[in-house]
Amino acid sequence: LFAWVMIFVTHLFFRRKYKGELRVRAPWYPWTSIAGLAALVAITISTWWVPGLRITLVSGLPWLAFISVCYLVWAKVRGSQGLEKAGLNG
């Protein structure tokens, strides 16, 4: 579900950024993306009340936090290595 939520969020930002450059028009944009996003968020939250799906939130949220921290550390290390290669870091 998280992947689909991110697809809707990305679609909203992408369309807004490239508004004048896109040749294909998305039907009822942005309302269809907002409705889909809201539906998926509601479904994700509702998994708490379904005993077999509660694990989605119990394990999914800590995992998402963990991989987000890993990405931020990786991006910081990669950024500083790039500065060192360019001779711009101290």
Side-chain angles (χ1 to χ4, degrees), residues 25-42:
R25 194 169 126 68
W28 301 300
Y29 170 81
W31 304 113
T32 50
S33 292
I34 292 170
L37 178 62
L40 285 172
V41 168

Side-chain angles (χ1 to χ4, degrees), residues 30-87:
W31 304 113
T32 50
S33 292
I34 292 170
L37 178 62
L40 285 172
V41 168
I43 291 167
T44 302
I45 292 169
S46 73
T47 62
W48 180 258
W49 290 278
V50 179
L53 295 178
R54 185 174 288 188
I55 194 69
T56 302
L57 295 177
V58 172
S59 64
L61 292 177
W63 174 250
L64 182 59
F66 172 72
I67 60 172
S68 296
V69 168
C70 289
Y71 171 76
L72 292 173
V73 169
W74 175 79
K76 185 174 183 176
V77 168
R78 185 173 182 216
S80 65
Q81 288 175 354
L83 292 175
E84 289 172 5
K85 286 181 183 178

